[in-house]
Amino acid sequence: MGKKLLLKDIARLAGVSEMTASRAMRGAPDVSDATKRKVEDIAKQVGYVPNRIAGALASQKVNLVGVVVPSLSSSVFPEVLSGISAALKPTPMKPVIGVTGYDPDEEEEVIREMLSWRPSGLIVAGLEHGEASRRMLAAADCPVVEIMDTDGDPVAHCVGISHLQAGRDMAVMMLERGYRRIGFIGTKMPQDFRAEKRLKGFVEALNAAGVDLAGEELYAGVSSIENGRRLTEQLLARIPDLDCIYYSSDVMSVGAYMHCLASGMSIPNDLAIAGFNSLDLLKGLPMTLATTDAHRFEIGEKAAGIIIEFTDQADAPCQMIRLDPTLTLGQSL
């Protein structure tokens, strides 16, 4: 992490006084549009975030930990948040949530807003960010933890699993069970980088065994039981001889289970299925479905632990904590 950027640094780069730079950042009407644009552009280029804590609080941090996630539509990220909250509970710090909808531009705005309040730490899902977001994360004067994924180039601290490995492990399990006509169904593609990595690792392991992916359905919308059922029907209509399908989420695999029940198909005899995330949703089914536990609660706990440990050490050596994805065979493979 670099030296903390101050408003006077932005003013010097823009060739204006610190007062003018401050007024430009606040959008004061007596500053020309050209000067405002110049100051704002320079701030974006170097990753500077204006401090909105006024007066005596300006040099302090608030007891908030920003948490930036792509979605709250399933129990995936709420379970991460539960882990974060559990770890922060004995401290004065509390989490505050921002949702990006898998949109890099929205993520940039959320990160900028979070950092403008000088939080005690920032936890961000994923490793793929726009350049402006990466600059802000690198220049932040609080500990930053990227979570969920370890396949890439972290800006700072990192806690997660290898999604490439999760995909490979599932492919190996399916091959060991004797399946060869294997398909894949994924949602939020290609915005969900972690699902993309699982698919990549999955296909790599199949190919290493001399097996090609027999078919796929990549859907831009969200995961839901309804979409899982519909996309399963679509893929099987195109490729009826599939003997196994890997899904990007458990919600989708539950939809596949519903399709098989409605169609009179036997699992796994007619079709084997497997999902990802080991959601509590699976516990209420008559059949246990194959899945992978990504240790979401533990990821949240460990990320918050790093914030607690390094809250006054924004430039501390970065930690990488990699957890092993745990595959559950269930009755559906």
Side-chain angles (χ1 to χ4, degrees):
M1 303 214 182
K3 171 181 171 288
K4 177 184 175 182
L5 292 166
L6 303 174
L7 181 61
K8 65 181 180 181
D9 299 316
I10 306 305
R12 176 176 52 79
L13 291 169
V16 298
S17 70
E18 189 172 346
M19 179 65 74
T20 299
S22 174
R23 295 180 67 77
M25 295 293 287
R26 295 199 308 271
D30 59 342
V31 179
S32 71
D33 290 341
T35 299
K36 288 177 187 174
R37 283 195 299 271
K38 185 176 183 181
V39 171
E40 288 168 358
D41 288 346
I42 287 172
K44 283 187 177 182
Q45 288 169 16
V46 300
Y48 174 79
V49 180
N51 190 342
R52 295 186 181 177
I53 304 174
L57 291 178
S59 63
Q60 301 176 16
K61 290 185 173 68
V62 295
N63 284 325
L64 295 175
V65 175
V67 183
V68 183
V69 297
S71 171
L72 293 174
S73 62
S74 74
S75 61
V76 174
F77 289 102
E79 193 166 341
V80 176
L81 299 176
S82 294
I84 293 170
S85 297
L88 293 179
K89 189 172 183 180
T91 79
M93 292 183 279
K94 303 299 177 187
V96 58
I97 316 304
V99 181
T100 68
Y102 291 93
D103 181 341
D105 293 332
E106 182 65 16
E107 181 186 65
E108 178 185 332
E109 292 305 314
V110 171
I111 290 172
R112 181 175 289 109
E113 185 67 22
M114 291 278 193
L115 289 176
S116 74
W117 292 99
R118 295 300 185 261
S120 295
L122 186 65
I123 298 172
V124 184
L127 299 177
E128 285 75 20
H129 317 287
E131 282 305 312
S133 295
R134 287 185 67 88
R135 285 193 292 267
M136 285 189 287
L137 296 176
D141 62 346
C142 65
V144 171
V145 187
E146 291 164 285
I147 60 170
M148 310 305 289
D149 190 5
T150 60
D151 300 312
D153 180 24
V155 174
H157 305 285
C158 181
V159 183
I161 68 163
S162 167
H163 288 263
L164 287 167
Q165 188 60 49
R168 292 189 196 108
D169 290 349
M170 185 59 77
V172 169
M173 178 62 72
M174 289 178 174
L175 292 169
E176 287 178 352
R177 302 291 292 174
Y179 301 109
R180 293 298 181 269
R181 296 289 294 164
I182 301 172
F184 175 84
I185 295 179
T187 56
K188 297 305 293 183
M189 308 288 268
Q191 304 100 312
D192 187 342
F193 295 106
R194 292 171 291 285
E196 287 274 352
K197 291 172 186 177
R198 290 196 297 279
L199 175 57
K200 181 181 179 182
F202 186 68
V203 172
E204 284 177 354
L206 292 181
N207 293 166
V211 175
D212 291 327
L213 189 68
E216 63 183 17
E217 286 282 344
L218 305 182
Y219 178 60
V222 298
S223 292
S224 69
I225 293 174
E226 178 185 8
N227 284 332
R229 185 171 176 175
R230 179 176 58 82
L231 294 172
T232 300
E233 183 177 12
Q234 287 180 196
L235 184 58
L236 290 175
R238 284 196 295 112
I239 312 172
D241 65 339
L242 290 179
D243 56 18
C244 186
I245 301 178
Y246 181 33
Y247 294 83
S248 62
S249 73
D250 287 336
V251 174
M252 297 293 287
S253 69
V254 171
Y257 176 66
M258 297 302 180
H259 169 76
C260 291
L261 284 179
S263 304
M265 298 174 65
S266 171
I267 300 173
N269 297 327
D270 297 327
L271 181 70
I273 60 176
F276 179 84
N277 266 320
S278 193
L279 297 181
D280 286 344
L281 172 69
L282 300 185
K283 295 177 182 177
L285 299 179
M287 169 183 284
T288 57
L289 303 186
T291 188
T292 300
D293 188 348
H295 307 296
R296 299 178 307 284
F297 186 90
E298 189 176 357
I299 285 172
E301 274 190 317
K302 290 187 178 299
I306 289 174
I307 300 295
I308 294 166
E309 182 177 357
F310 297 113
T311 190
D312 295 318
Q313 305 175 53
D315 57 350
C318 292
Q319 292 193 1
M320 163 77 81
I321 300 176
R322 176 176 287 143
L323 306 175
D324 292 325
T326 303
L327 191 150
T328 300
L329 180 62
Q331 299 167 295
S332 66
L333 274 186

